[in-house]
Amino acid sequence: MKKLAASLILATLFTTAAHADPKHPAWSRSANVYEVNLRQYSKDGTLNALTADLPRLKQLGVEIIWLMPVQPIGETNRKGTLGSYYAVKDYTAVNPEFGGIDDVRKLVKQARALGMHVILDWAGSQTASDHPWTTQHPEWYKKNETAESADVIALDYSNKELWSAMTAAMAFWVKDVGVDGFRADAATMVPTEFWEQARAQLDKIKPVFMLAAADDPSLHAKAFDASEDLTLHDILKKIGKGQAGAAELRAYVSNPPKGYGRDAYRLQFTSNHAINASEGTDQELYGPAWGAMQVLSYTLPGIPLVYNGQEARLDKKLALFEKDAIDWHNYPLEGFIAGLNALKKQNAALANGAAGGAVQLLDVGNEQVFAFKRQAGANHVRVIVNTTGQAQKYKLAGDPGTTVLKPWRWRIIVPN
């Protein structure tokens, strides 16, 4: 890993509101997240196939595995042939397509043995339209808001009995299966107070990690460790399309649009299951700028995400409701991703939340170049990125002369 981190310093050679209250698990402070679309991860599409591949993910430097929902999928009005992961029919069971509950336990146990943690995607705002609750507890659902042809029905959290049942289901996965937390889908579609009480109950079992699929500072007060940084993601996409550049990045750092506390982890990403399926591949979204955008997602404040297949230069939109396995192409970007993970792990300045250093913008004499420094104690990291498709000159303080960065290239400088 040290060799990979050292090579990253020469990465220009790459050719292609208030303080957060939840106590973050200690193991999350320098962690990254790797999202697994289990159905498409392997030809088998099973939990056991993923377990067998955990040593590779360990070598990649993965620390938190985000599993898309593994529960049984509703059959009524299901989308496509295999249905949506998020149309859950039973919160405490496993989709036979993926395996069984003991297979999840085995996955979690093996991940832990390798120093990794597992969080489970949680579709808490809705259930499949044929979930047993629809007949057993119709009062737990919103009325007249779902078309007859829909595969899901929205839950009504004004009913506190639902709170108890949903929290108990989440606790089952933590206590009986061993998962280390949850990624809450559509988190703002559920009352924040529910997530807060659920987090308190789960933390009594063991410290959990909670990731919100949302961009809302209030979610960090008592419930979530991390939330999606949609603002930076939009800027990265615009840069890839030639619609933004270093100026927008400087504005993002200087005047953030929302008041997040320094200890709120912001999930940084160039892709995920929804982006890949609906918007396009990395090549379609970023073209030759992708490497630089991935570097920014790792070095600006936040917890970075890799979507499965990005290390293999995933070149297709993965179908969400059909079988559509990833073609791994011998992992051509594995060394690049591993180097970024090692860079983050080995430099305290890049730690998550308040443990990491704040961004200090650097003047390098060229407004087309985005440059910054982050420092924590004696450790400091400087990052210089060419946000254009043309070669750019820049000069760091102390350099004897100017340096040329090729189009979409970067330089990362860490202490010896």
Side-chain angles (χ1 to χ4, degrees), residues 10 54 60 128 176 215 245 340 404 408:
L10 302 176
L54 288 180
L60 191 65
D176 295 348
D215 188 355
L340 288 173
V404 176
W408 306 117

Side-chain angles (χ1 to χ4, degrees), residues 8-264:
L8 196 61
I9 300 172
L10 302 176
T12 52
L13 297 177
F14 179 68
T15 57
T16 353
H19 179 74
D21 291 332
K23 185 177 180 181
H24 302 301
W27 47 263
S28 72
R29 276 299 182 186
S30 61
N32 57 75
V33 182
Y34 184 93
E35 183 188 4
V36 172
N37 181 338
L38 191 58
R39 178 180 287 156
Q40 318 303 11
Y41 189 84
S42 64
K43 290 182 178 180
D44 289 345
T46 63
L47 289 155
N48 286 338
L50 173 60
T51 300
D53 202 41
L54 288 180
R56 184 188 71 84
L57 295 183
K58 175 65 176 179
Q59 287 298 113
L60 191 65
V62 171
E63 296 189 72
I64 300 175
I65 296 172
W66 153 19
L67 271 180
M68 291 179 70
V70 299
Q71 294 100 330
I73 293 170
E75 297 177 11
T76 302
N77 301 321
R78 66 166 40 181
K79 294 180 178 178
T81 304
L82 300 176
S84 168
Y85 287 100
Y86 299 92
V88 173
K89 190 175 181 179
D90 183 344
Y91 280 108
T92 56
V94 173
N95 185 346
E97 175 190 349
F98 304 144
I101 197 73
D102 284 341
D103 296 325
V104 185
R105 292 189 177 103
K106 183 170 69 173
L107 169 68
V108 170
K109 182 178 180 180
Q110 178 66 7
R112 185 66 51 78
L114 291 170
M116 295 184 285
H117 295 79
V118 179
I119 63 173
L120 178 63
D121 213 332
W122 197 259
S125 66
Q126 62 192 24
T127 73
S129 57
D130 52 354
H131 191 292
W133 286 355
T134 60
T135 55
Q136 296 170 359
H137 299 285
E139 70 278 11
W140 292 0
Y141 291 85
K142 294 181 178 180
K143 304 298 187 290
N144 303 319
E145 291 192 13
T146 305
E148 292 182 1
S149 60
D151 65 332
V152 295
I153 304 179
L155 288 162
D156 184 355
Y157 276 83
S158 67
N159 192 308
K160 292 302 178 70
E161 290 183 356
L162 169 62
W163 289 37
S164 297
M166 190 66 77
T167 304
M170 297 175 75
F172 163 79
W173 287 96
V174 176
K175 184 177 182 179
D176 295 348
V177 183
V179 303
D180 299 292
F182 299 92
R183 180 262 186 184
D185 185 61
T188 55
M189 299 294 288
V190 173
T192 302
E193 293 76 15
F194 167 80
W195 296 122
E196 291 175 347
Q197 66 83 37
R199 173 66 182 264
Q201 294 300 316
L202 297 173
D203 274 343
K204 291 178 181 178
I205 303 171
K206 68 175 181 181
V208 294
F209 179 81
M210 298 289 288
L211 165 61
D215 188 355
D216 184 344
S218 69
L219 293 172
H220 288 267
K222 297 179 181 179
F224 289 94
D225 298 275
S227 61
E228 296 175 333
D229 193 338
L230 300 180
T231 299
L232 180 59
H233 175 62
D234 285 343
I235 293 172
L236 298 184
K237 287 194 297 184
K238 288 179 180 177
I239 293 175
K241 297 181 185 299
Q243 299 169 354
E248 285 75 14
L249 289 169
R250 285 190 288 269
Y252 158 83
V253 170
S254 302
N255 300 291
K258 296 183 180 182
Y260 283 90
R262 274 210 65 220
D263 212 29

Side-chain angles (χ1 to χ4, degrees), residues 20 69 71 208 218 271 273 290 314 325 338 378 384 393 397 399:
Q71 294 100 330
V208 294
S218 69
S271 188
H273 69 276
W290 176 76
L314 182 62
I384 305 98
K393 293 181 179 180
D399 283 357

